[in-house]
Amino acid sequence: MIILITGASHTGKTALAQKLLEKYKYPYLSIDHLKMGLIRSGNTELTPMDDAKLTEYLWPVIREMIKTAIENKQNLIVEGCYIPFDWQKDFDSKYLENIKYFCLIMSESYIRNHFVDIKKYANTIENRLDDDWCTMESVLADNTEIHDLALRYKVNCILIEDKYEINIDL
């Protein structure tokens, strides 16, 4: 089984992947680690701020890693924001039946009522070296954009509205 977890920044993608690893013992791939490895090694001139270009650059590699894992009957969790919303077009039915997709989105009211907590838990799994760019306005804009795309592409979303509690049973 392949689990894809995507969504806006600071929605808890990495924390959910870690929770699923602990529960199901499925390894996970952080797309951010792959991104930074390629950037730091000089294999691309893209920067961490080139989100759209990074999706185009990283997705073909991730897509083929997913196919390989399925062919080898291996479980894998892939988490990060570089999964395109039209990801399904890249897989035929024999692959799709082995993939579960989850897009995490925080509602406007959740962000407004819990922004202090969003910032507080930003380093739960990973150590963000510079998180000053993360403002209530940027989180609101990012979640609105992701929500609009999720609706347009009719993907499976988990909307975080009242309290932050995500439970996924496979």
Side-chain angles (χ1 to χ4, degrees), residues 1-4 26-27 66 69-70 73-78 95-102 170:
M1 177 64 57
I2 305 299
I3 312 299
L4 301 179
Y26 290 8
I66 291 167
I70 291 170
K73 298 181 180 2
Q74 295 172 313
N75 299 313
L76 180 64
I77 301 163
V78 179
Y95 292 108
L96 287 172
E97 64 191 29
N98 291 287
I99 301 172
K100 292 192 179 207
Y101 173 98
F102 303 95
L170 305 178

Side-chain angles (χ1 to χ4, degrees), residues 104-151:
L104 306 182
I105 303 169
M106 293 176 177
S107 71
E108 179 180 349
S109 63
Y110 181 86
I111 294 165
R112 291 191 184 283
N113 292 328
H114 299 278
F115 185 71
V116 170
D117 292 330
I118 292 168
K119 290 286 283 190
K120 177 180 166 185
Y121 292 109
N123 290 312
T124 297
I125 301 295
E126 58 191 355
N127 185 22
R128 296 175 186 264
L129 299 178
D130 179 13
D131 206 32
D132 291 340
W133 63 269
C134 179
T135 63
M136 184 180 300
E137 292 74 25
S138 70
V139 174
L140 286 165
D142 197 16
N143 276 268
T144 298
E145 178 184 0
I146 297 299
H147 189 251
D148 291 347
L149 287 166
L151 290 174

Side-chain angles (χ1 to χ4, degrees), residues 5-134:
I5 303 170
T6 192
S9 181
H10 289 74
T11 53
K13 298 177 296 292
T14 307
L16 178 57
Q18 180 68 35
K19 184 177 177 179
L20 293 173
L21 172 135
E22 292 169 6
K23 182 174 182 178
Y24 294 105
K25 309 300 186 228
Y26 290 8
Y28 78 84
L29 167 68
S30 167
I31 300 173
D32 279 344
H33 290 174
L34 177 61
K35 168 190 77 175
M36 292 310 297
L38 291 165
I39 290 171
R40 287 179 170 176
S41 67
N43 282 300
T44 182
E45 293 184 17
L46 296 172
T47 72
M49 303 312 289
D50 294 324
D51 285 342
K53 291 178 182 177
L54 281 163
T55 299
E56 291 175 27
Y57 182 69
L58 295 168
W59 179 245
V61 175
I62 296 162
R63 176 191 68 218
E64 297 309 314
M65 291 172 71
I66 291 167
K67 288 179 181 177
T68 301
I70 291 170
E71 291 161 358
N72 288 312
K73 298 181 180 2
Q74 295 172 313
N75 299 313
L76 180 64
I77 301 163
V78 179
E79 66 87 9
C81 62
Y82 303 104
I83 299 171
F85 284 90
D86 62 349
W87 66 273
Q88 291 180 333
K89 72 174 178 42
D90 293 327
F91 300 97
D92 65 29
S93 60
K94 81 173 188 174
Y95 292 108
L96 287 172
E97 64 191 29
N98 291 287
I99 301 172
K100 292 192 179 207
Y101 173 98
F102 303 95
C103 181
L104 306 182
I105 303 169
M106 293 176 177
S107 71
E108 179 180 349
S109 63
Y110 181 86
I111 294 165
R112 291 191 184 283
N113 292 328
H114 299 278
F115 185 71
V116 170
D117 292 330
I118 292 168
K119 290 286 283 190
K120 177 180 166 185
Y121 292 109
N123 290 312
T124 297
I125 301 295
E126 58 191 355
N127 185 22
R128 296 175 186 264
L129 299 178
D130 179 13
D131 206 32
D132 291 340
W133 63 269
C134 179

